[in-house]
Amino acid sequence: MKNNIKNSIKYRLSLKASSFLNAIFICLIISVFSGCLVLVSHYQNMLNTQLSMYEDLIGRNESSFNYLINNTETLAYNQIEILDVFDDGIISSIEKKNWGFYDVLVCKTIFKNDTISKITLVGQKKNTTNTLALYTTNYDKPLKLSGSTKIFGNIKVPNGRIEQAYINGKEGNAIKLKGSILKSDGKLPKIDKHISIDVSSYKAISLHSLDKGTTITNGFDQPTKVIDLGGITTLTNMVFKGNIILVSSIPLEISNTAKLHDILVMAPSIHILSGFEGNIQIIAKELIDIGENVSLRYPSSIYMKNDSNPVSVTINKNSTLIGGIVIEGDFYNENLKRSLTIHENVTIVGNVYCYGLTQLEGTVIGSIYTDKFFLKTASSNYENVILNGTINRDSLPDNYPYLKTLLIKKNMQLLKNFKILKASSIVESVIAISIISICALVAFTVYLNVIGQNKSTYYYNAKHKINFFNQQ
């Protein structure tokens, strides 16, 4: 009898001790859960404050960028200037960089650990007062049109006069002209911007040190990467994006397996093989040959300057270039050594400037400035003749930026956004809230499991087992 009483007392004591521990554990879980809720509320308020500050930083960054783009002509290249838009200590750094035909504008607004950056490529805004589709220098030899040549827009030609020519014995030209015909001057308008890129000040990276198939991306807020192609004659199976200059001292071929975006390519001669797609700026001294079915997307460009050797640019059938072409030199005597050939079914969108000879069989949506036209057929050569070419200034989109080349009123326009960097403190707050929420979820799950253990079925099952052991 005494033993039964003792066992009953032990059983009651063990139940009371277990209940007490469960109560403490549940209180601890509830405390943790409540603390998590308080922390989540705290970080939520902090996040709202940071979001408000973030919006304010974006607004200040936009204001600083508007100042930058409206004053870009007065700013020196590669010099960082500090700007305090509202004189409240929140500063922005602005910088203008030269990138081939275009300019890169970098605007960073900084407050404590947060930085908002806007990096854009800009070009010259379309001038609505300049509706010129064609300009050819006045050498007192009339421009002759033949075949199905079409010109939409104002033109300036020798003596303000157009004649028709009948090539290869064909009769019945279908010439279409829309716009005023004016007299041109004895020289081409001057180029406003000469492309001069000195890579000697950069530490070049050898392409041989990179694995085949490597992808290299470099932001325009970072120093320019110069990659020396060495003795490689054909560029294949590589990906280059952003603030990168590819340099070769020997003629270069670019395969359609190479993926090139927003980069500069410099070599004595450059041949782009059939089927290539990308957007690049090409700078060469002797020869540029664009193969058939090549797509050079916006903003792409071609630039050549040479007064000592013959130079030529050829764009072959069914290819497209959206951007512009400039072939220039300093001396008139060498202009007959510079030539541009645009074959049939080729489409150029933008400005074409050739201080030399141009053969036009394709379509230019934009404008052409050239010293003379020429036409080479299987049977003969013709001077100042256009056969089956199209120049359509009217179809150029109103928001299409010009190459920054011709001496017209400067009004810069955004071409392409590269990057906007988010504020870092917002990311930290979101991470903190996520971690706290996960902890709260874990605590709540444990709490439910503990409560579940105290259901009547579990209780009486445990009690039955205790009685059974006590009877034993």
Side-chain angles (χ1 to χ4, degrees), residues 67-297:
Y67 170 85
L68 174 59
I69 198 170
N70 290 323
N71 295 274
T72 182
E73 293 299 324
T74 63
L75 298 175
Y77 284 103
N78 303 317
Q79 291 187 8
I80 298 176
E81 296 190 15
I82 303 300
L83 184 66
D84 190 344
V85 180
F86 300 109
D87 295 324
D88 57 359
I90 299 179
I91 63 172
S92 298
S93 64
I94 56 177
E95 183 181 9
K96 180 175 72 171
K97 300 179 179 180
N98 179 30
W99 192 244
F101 279 109
Y102 311 100
D103 289 337
V104 174
L105 304 183
V106 180
C107 180
K108 296 182 180 181
T109 303
I110 303 169
F111 180 73
K112 295 183 178 179
N113 293 328
D114 295 334
T115 301
I116 305 297
S117 297
K118 186 169 185 177
I119 305 170
T120 61
L121 197 69
V122 295
Q124 188 166 301
K125 191 174 182 179
K126 179 181 175 182
N127 191 344
T128 56
T129 62
N130 179 16
T131 57
L132 206 61
L134 169 64
Y135 186 105
T136 181
T137 307
N138 189 353
Y139 291 117
D140 201 29
K141 186 175 182 65
L143 176 66
K144 297 180 180 181
L145 307 181
S146 182
S148 58
T149 298
K150 305 177 183 66
I151 303 177
F152 301 102
N154 298 331
I155 62 177
K156 286 188 176 182
V157 294
N159 300 319
R161 191 160 54 93
I162 292 288
E163 295 182 1
Q164 292 195 34
Y166 300 93
I167 307 299
N168 296 335
K170 293 183 179 180
E171 297 182 0
N173 291 327
I175 308 297
K176 291 184 179 180
L177 298 176
K178 178 185 176 182
S180 302
I181 302 177
L182 307 171
K183 182 180 179 180
S184 61
D185 297 327
K187 57 182 179 180
L188 280 178
K190 291 183 178 180
I191 286 288
D192 179 40
K193 182 174 182 178
H194 298 277
I195 309 302
S196 179
I197 298 177
D198 183 11
V199 297
S200 61
S201 59
Y202 298 97
K203 184 178 180 180
I205 302 171
S206 175
L207 185 65
H208 296 288
S209 65
L210 305 175
D211 295 332
K212 192 172 183 179
T214 298
T215 297
I216 298 181
T217 302
N218 190 38
F220 282 91
D221 57 334
Q222 302 296 322
T224 300
K225 286 186 178 180
V226 175
I227 298 178
D228 186 359
L229 301 183
I232 293 177
T233 57
T234 303
L235 185 65
T236 60
N237 298 314
M238 300 290 285
V239 180
F240 297 102
K241 299 179 181 180
N243 188 12
I244 297 171
I245 302 176
L246 301 183
V247 179
S248 177
S249 59
I250 61 175
L252 175 67
E253 287 186 344
I254 299 177
S255 168
N256 58 12
T257 61
K259 308 300 179 184
L260 310 179
H261 303 282
D262 301 317
I263 71 168
L264 268 63
V265 182
M266 302 174 62
S269 300
I270 298 175
H271 180 202
I272 298 183
L273 301 181
S274 176
F276 174 84
E277 294 184 3
N279 59 310
I280 58 177
Q281 296 190 62
I282 302 170
I283 301 174
K285 291 184 178 181
E286 299 171 3
L287 180 143
I288 295 176
D289 184 78
I290 309 299
E292 296 183 0
N293 302 302
V294 170
S295 177
L296 297 179
R297 296 189 293 267

